[in-house]
Amino acid sequence: MTITHDSSTRAFELIAPEIRADLIAAVRENWPDLSDGLGERGVHQMVVFLATSAGTDAPMTPSLRVDLFWHAFVLHTKPYADFCTALGGFIHHVPDRASRNPAEARAAVIRTRSAISAAGYRADPEFWPGREHRRLFGGLLAVPRRVLRQPREHVASQPCEPGERRQPSGPAPGGRRADRRRTYMNDARVAAWDTYAQGRAQRRTTNARGESTWFNWTQYPDHGPGAEQLSLLPGGRVLDLGCGSGGNLAHLTTLGMRAVGVDVSPAQLGKARARWPGVGGMELHQGDALDFLVPAEPFDAIYSVFGAAYFTDPVLMLPAVHAVLRPGGVFAMSQQPAVEGCYGCQASYIPRGPDEDPAVVRRWDYPTAAWPGLLRGFGFVNCTATVLPAPARGRRKIGTLLIRAVREG
């Protein structure tokens, strides 16, 4: 059977209910808040993308959200092959590394959305953000792929943006910020970081040099580089993603910066306000870092020290940061170096006491050498990743991974 352009429902029904349920479950591993209803819509949008691509010679590019479902379907090799046969030919996933330009990617997915509409299908805006959603979605619109029409066979390419990870259900087409907050924030994650805050002491009143404020990138006191990594001038506007109790922010204000911090934990922000009550020029916000970034006013530098950038999928975080960083601005983050062989989404456990299971939060680890390419894939330049050795004193040997990049001016 060949699927025609007025039969997306019929095409959808070619995928058995149990396979659709498996696809939704697979996508939910990277998109925890995905509901069954939204998952069914995602499967349907994958279907209309594949059906449209089968009927055109024009290049086709899925959105990241649609791509999650496509990846899951490809792994079900026989049902996927049978579905492609019904479309008239197999649709391959073939790597295409020719272009990594985010602007080209966004334009390609908008063209695909138009092609879907022209073919008589409905492009669901939850899965196909259009031109008007560029800032709303932090630039994260497309994983460039080309679907090339060949006799009885179709070829689709792999992403030019690295990885395919959890996608948010996102805001309604009108783009209210509160809608995204309901997507990203949940009580368990807030409670986990509140627990972490309760187990951490306040920053010392002075460091080894007798200073009352200082900037620290590492997990060790009086160690490593300082705020010079951010290349800020006095008066610059700087954002701390996962600011915790605000020690680094407080130091930046003493350098003449307009320092803004966001943290998901009310307990952490309570500690910040208690520790730095008289600091002017410091602005604190409670909420999810991605919610705060979309939309946000431009920043001269954005950083995260063992903070939200460590605990958010970089495929979501990096384009959102890039979208609000001024040209020439620095993005820098620090975290633990990855354990060899343990890459991608990993679990971190926060103790809650001897009689309770620990709280679980997710972090993202990649080999040090992979970070520059990951950053370049989202439009950054001058990308570096370096492991700062642990202090020579003491028995601890794990260093600190410091990642730094610049938005091209």
Side-chain angles (χ1 to χ4, degrees), residues 131-325:
R131 214 176 287 274
E132 70 277 11
H133 293 86
R134 176 171 174 176
R135 273 195 56 92
L136 181 66
F137 284 80
L140 188 64
L141 298 185
V143 182
R145 285 165 166 70
R146 294 178 300 126
V147 177
L148 305 179
R149 183 66 182 268
Q150 297 180 356
R152 300 293 298 171
E153 185 174 84
H154 311 288
V155 180
S157 68
Q158 286 271 14
C160 85
E161 292 178 5
E164 50 283 335
R165 299 292 182 198
R166 176 176 64 88
Q167 297 304 308
S169 57
R176 291 194 309 262
R177 190 170 183 174
D179 292 334
R180 285 182 65 92
R181 184 173 293 112
R182 286 196 296 270
T183 298
Y184 286 114
M185 290 182 63
N186 59 71
D187 291 343
R189 192 156 66 95
V190 172
W193 289 114
D194 278 351
T195 298
Y196 176 83
Q198 291 159 10
R200 299 278 296 181
Q202 286 279 23
R203 180 175 277 205
R204 298 167 293 160
T205 55
T206 58
N207 64 11
R209 294 184 293 273
E211 299 163 331
S212 59
T213 67
W214 61 94
F215 199 103
N216 191 22
W217 290 101
T218 81
Q219 64 270 47
Y220 302 104
D222 308 306
H223 176 66
E228 70 278 358
Q229 292 290 319
L230 298 174
S231 299
L232 281 165
L233 296 174
R237 191 163 184 263
V238 58
L239 174 64
D240 186 337
L241 299 171
C243 63
S245 57
N248 286 333
L249 282 175
H251 179 66
L252 290 171
T253 65
T254 69
L255 303 179
M257 310 305 172
R258 293 175 293 158
V260 180
V262 59
D263 201 286
V264 75
S265 166
Q268 287 279 48
L269 295 176
K271 291 173 66 176
R273 293 184 179 101
R275 178 68 175 81
W276 313 104
V279 173
M282 186 166 73
E283 182 182 318
L284 300 175
H285 298 267
Q286 194 264 323
D288 181 89
L290 284 174
D291 289 334
F292 187 82
L293 286 167
V294 186
E297 295 300 317
F299 288 93
D300 298 294
I302 299 175
Y303 70 92
S304 183
V305 177
F306 288 77
Y310 188 16
F311 295 93
T312 306
D313 187 336
V315 172
L316 297 177
M317 179 61 75
L318 294 181
V321 167
H322 188 274
V324 299
L325 192 61

Side-chain angles (χ1 to χ4, degrees), residues 100-136:
R100 290 179 176 270
N101 187 314
E104 292 177 4
R106 288 191 290 268
V109 82
I110 290 168
R111 288 194 299 269
T112 299
R113 173 180 167 169
S114 298
I116 288 170
S117 299
Y121 302 128
R122 178 180 179 271
D124 187 336
E126 284 282 352
F127 293 87
W128 295 98
R131 214 176 287 274
E132 70 277 11
H133 293 86
R134 176 171 174 176
R135 273 195 56 92
L136 181 66

Side-chain angles (χ1 to χ4, degrees), residues 19-73:
I19 299 298
R20 298 201 299 266
D22 284 347
L23 300 186
I24 294 167
V27 172
R28 191 176 284 130
E29 291 180 5
N30 290 317
W31 184 351
D33 301 311
L34 180 69
S35 66
D36 288 341
L38 195 60
E40 290 284 309
R41 288 164 60 186
V43 174
H44 188 271
Q45 291 302 299
M46 175 196 71
V47 166
V48 301
F49 165 73
L50 294 174
T52 302
S53 69
T56 181
D57 293 325
M60 297 282 288
T61 300
S63 69
L64 279 169
R65 296 175 182 179
V66 171
D67 190 61
L68 287 171
F69 290 90
W70 188 16
H71 267 265
F73 196 19

Side-chain angles (χ1 to χ4, degrees), residues 383-406:
C383 307
T384 61
T386 306
V387 175
L388 306 174
R393 63 184 184 277
R395 300 175 60 184
R396 296 174 64 183
K397 302 301 180 186
I398 296 175
T400 305
L401 176 60
L402 179 61
I403 298 159
R404 188 181 185 277
V406 177

